[in-house]
Amino acid sequence: LMWHFKDQYARAMGQPIVTSAQPAATAQADLMTWEFKTNAVLAVGNVTAVGRDPAMTLTTDRLIWQMKDRLVQAVGAAHGVSGDPAVDVTADRLIWQLGDRVAQAVGSAHAVSRDPAVTLTGDRFVWQLTPRILQAIGQAQAQRQADGQNSAVTINADRLIWQTKERVGHAVGRAVAVSPDPNLRVQTEHLVWQATRQVVSAVTPSFIERFRCAPGAACTVVDRARGNLADVSLRDRTAWLRGQAYVSAADPAVDVASESLRWNFRDQQMGSDTPVTVLDRRQNITLTALRGALDLRAKVAELTGQVSGTAPRRQARMTTDRLVWALDRQEVQAFGHVFY
């Protein structure tokens, strides 16, 4: 230990330890310099700082601890771990406000939430340690790999808010979620990701695209959809669209519109319990009904309740109680109160 009374600082080597009682924290390093006038500690080499309320461990190459301001700055390969489930944050620079229980990570910010295994990146992070909320700001991305039980998903946005305890993420501003299974993309301004339930929800008007990806070839868009609200279950491969819901399918070439639509990607089925409109784009045939279901794979639509159809090219119109429509063969079966 070297004590310089004139210059008002002390220097210690060989893994010295400095401790603060309020807030409770310690730091250890190869070399430490304590400036009495500013009440600041500079730690260099194999630095480890530990906070106790909340529990936080920070390692770095160089650390500046401003005792009076309760501020710790880690510079160079900064790495912090906190929380249960644990979150690991790495960055070029990490600023830890001990009094406010908040840390900011700047420069190549990267975080891993261990349960579930979610990776976040961004230009910078704001890490609220007590409520266990991590915000990624600027080119933010959250990513989860498939693990046999969970589908992979990648979410990009201007800002990402990850609630560690609830395992819920909010993507705000130009939010885009991409999943390879099912092959789809969801675009909206505010997206909520419930990681445990594997549900992606758009709470603002959204646009959904479903892709067909052949091995060794580029993916092509086969279906498009939109709605004021949307819930997509990656586990069940199902979407629920509400509020001006609309799906445009490529094969068969039909558009389906309703206030509420269920869309099963795996079975290629759609259904609605609210008034629905189905348009065959090739034949320019339009059908409306109180309820409806569409099997895209079998290319069959079934409409029930006050069914009405028009075919301008054939100068035809039909009303009935129930109708089964084979789109590929253009065959119609009508049941009950049929008028043609």
Side-chain angles (χ1 to χ4, degrees), residues 280 298-301 323-333:
D280 183 326
K299 301 180 181 179
V300 174
L323 182 142
V324 178
W325 181 18
L327 290 111
D328 56 342
R329 301 190 305 272
Q330 287 300 307
E331 291 181 0
V332 171
Q333 297 181 61

Side-chain angles (χ1 to χ4, degrees), residues 49 56-60 62-64 71-81 87-97 102-107 109-110 125 127 129 134:
M56 164 86 156
T57 302
L58 175 63
T59 59
T60 184
R62 186 169 174 264
L63 182 141
I64 303 169
L71 186 69
V72 172
Q73 295 190 56
V75 182
H79 177 213
V81 181
V87 175
D88 292 67
V89 175
T90 58
D92 296 335
R93 184 163 163 255
L94 197 148
I95 305 167
W96 181 8
Q97 297 167 290
V102 174
Q104 295 189 52
V106 181
H110 180 275
F125 289 160
W127 190 5
L129 300 170
L134 182 65

Side-chain angles (χ1 to χ4, degrees), residues 135-214:
Q135 293 190 56
I137 301 170
Q139 299 185 52
Q141 183 183 87
Q143 190 172 49
R144 184 179 192 175
Q145 300 294 334
D147 57 12
Q149 294 182 339
N150 298 288
S151 298
V153 63
T154 300
I155 298 173
N156 292 278
D158 294 335
R159 182 163 61 103
L160 275 165
I161 304 167
W162 176 246
Q163 297 170 270
T164 306
K165 183 179 179 181
E166 294 81 4
R167 297 168 175 83
V168 172
H170 290 258
V172 181
R174 296 182 295 179
V176 179
V178 178
S179 168
D181 184 22
N183 281 307
L184 59 87
R185 176 169 57 203
V186 181
Q187 300 178 66
T188 186
E189 280 300 305
H190 186 177
L191 185 146
V192 180
W193 175 34
Q194 300 176 68
T196 302
R197 294 179 56 208
Q198 299 186 60
V199 173
V200 173
S201 300
V203 297
T204 52
S206 60
F207 182 64
I208 300 174
E209 294 175 308
R210 193 179 71 86
F211 299 88
R212 181 178 292 124
C213 300

Side-chain angles (χ1 to χ4, degrees), residues 48-305:
T48 300
V50 179
R52 294 181 178 83
D53 183 24
M56 164 86 156
T57 302
L58 175 63
T59 59
T60 184
D61 296 334
R62 186 169 174 264
L63 182 141
I64 303 169
W65 187 352
Q66 296 167 276
M67 296 282 192
K68 183 180 179 181
D69 298 328
R70 300 181 179 182
L71 186 69
V72 172
Q73 295 190 56
V75 182
H79 177 213
V81 181
S82 180
D84 181 21
V87 175
D88 292 67
V89 175
T90 58
D92 296 335
R93 184 163 163 255
L94 197 148
I95 305 167
W96 181 8
Q97 297 167 290
L98 295 170
D100 296 333
R101 299 177 175 86
V102 174
Q104 295 189 52
V106 181
S108 303
H110 180 275
V112 176
S113 179
R114 298 179 185 174
D115 183 23
V118 175
T119 301
L120 294 98
T121 57
D123 293 338
R124 68 183 182 94
F125 289 160
V126 177
W127 190 5
Q128 296 170 273
L129 300 170
T130 299
R132 289 186 275 176
I133 295 175
L134 182 65
Q135 293 190 56
I137 301 170
Q139 299 185 52
Q141 183 183 87
Q143 190 172 49
R144 184 179 192 175
Q145 300 294 334
D147 57 12
Q149 294 182 339
N150 298 288
S151 298
V153 63
T154 300
I155 298 173
N156 292 278
D158 294 335
R159 182 163 61 103
L160 275 165
I161 304 167
W162 176 246
Q163 297 170 270
T164 306
K165 183 179 179 181
E166 294 81 4
R167 297 168 175 83
V168 172
H170 290 258
V172 181
R174 296 182 295 179
V176 179
V178 178
S179 168
D181 184 22
N183 281 307
L184 59 87
R185 176 169 57 203
V186 181
Q187 300 178 66
T188 186
E189 280 300 305
H190 186 177
L191 185 146
V192 180
W193 175 34
Q194 300 176 68
T196 302
R197 294 179 56 208
Q198 299 186 60
V199 173
V200 173
S201 300
V203 297
T204 52
S206 60
F207 182 64
I208 300 174
E209 294 175 308
R210 193 179 71 86
F211 299 88
R212 181 178 292 124
C213 300
C219 295
T220 57
V221 177
V222 290
D223 303 320
R224 291 180 171 88
R226 64 175 183 263
N228 291 339
L229 299 171
D231 294 308
V232 179
S233 173
L234 302 178
R235 177 186 293 157
D236 299 330
R237 277 73 169 169
T238 301
W240 293 267
L241 303 168
R242 301 180 303 283
Q244 299 181 347
Y246 171 85
V247 176
S248 180
D251 186 23
V254 295
D255 296 341
V256 183
S258 180
E259 277 302 299
S260 175
L261 277 174
R262 300 183 306 277
W263 181 17
N264 187 295
F265 310 120
R266 178 167 46 201
D267 299 332
Q268 280 298 284
Q269 293 186 352
M270 280 186 278
S272 175
D273 294 325
T274 58
V276 60
T277 299
V278 181
L279 167 66
D280 183 326
R281 297 194 301 272
R282 292 192 179 124
Q283 300 297 326
N284 192 25
I285 297 174
T286 303
L287 292 177
T288 62
L290 297 181
R291 295 174 300 281
L294 175 62
D295 188 328
L296 295 172
R297 190 171 292 161
K299 301 180 181 179
V300 174
E302 183 173 351
L303 303 173
T304 307

